[in-house]
Amino acid sequence: MIMYGLSTCSVCQKALKALEAVGKDVTFRDIRAEPLDEAELSELILEFGDNLVDRSSNDYRALNDWLKNSDAEAQITAKPKVMARPVIRDEGVFYLGWNEAVQAAVLAR
C-alpha cells in the first residue's frame, strides 16, 4: 500500500497511524520531497479528475489566475500542496481523502 501526501498534513498523519495500527504495510510518499512523475500524476488524474485538486485550500486560492484556469496536472506540478490528500493506492485500487467511506473500505481490505 502506498500513501501519497505531505508529512506535515494532519489528515495524512491520522490515516497513516490508523492503517499502521491495524497492521497495514504502508509506504508513505511525501509529494513535496519526492514529486509525482508525469506517469503517476496522469494515472491519478485519470482516476480522480479535477477532484485531485483541493480548491478550498489557501494554497489553491494563492495560485495566479493562469494556473487556476489550467488543468489539474499543471496546478499540482506547480504547487504540489494543492493536491487533495491523502491518496491511497492499495493493490491497484485508489482512494482519495480519509473520510468514513474511505476508512471503512481501506481498513476492511
Side-chain angles (χ1 to χ4, degrees):
M1 177 180 292
I2 300 172
M3 179 185 299
Y4 302 96
L6 298 173
S7 60
T8 56
C9 172
S10 62
V11 177
C12 293
Q13 292 168 357
K14 287 178 194 174
L16 188 58
K17 282 183 183 179
L19 292 167
E20 289 175 339
V22 296
K24 299 286 186 182
D25 183 24
V26 183
T27 301
F28 182 80
R29 180 155 162 209
D30 187 320
I31 58 168
R32 205 172 13 202
E34 189 181 342
L36 299 170
D37 66 30
E38 189 176 323
E40 292 168 322
L41 186 52
S42 294
E43 184 176 36
L44 294 179
I45 290 171
L46 183 63
E47 184 72 27
F48 300 113
D50 284 342
N51 292 329
L52 192 60
V53 175
D54 180 3
R55 288 183 173 71
S56 65
S57 71
N58 288 332
D59 293 295
Y60 177 79
R61 288 192 288 273
L63 293 177
N64 63 40
D65 288 339
W66 184 84
L67 270 173
K68 283 182 183 175
N69 292 307
S70 296
D71 61 15
E73 186 171 355
Q75 293 168 354
I76 294 170
T77 300
K79 187 92 169 167
K81 283 179 70 177
V82 302
M83 187 176 100
R85 52 195 184 267
V87 172
I88 300 168
R89 179 186 192 142
D90 186 19
E91 297 178 12
V93 179
F94 290 95
Y95 303 93
L96 180 61
W98 191 243
N99 58 33
E100 288 181 18
V102 170
Q103 290 175 39
V106 173
L107 294 175
R109 284 182 65 97

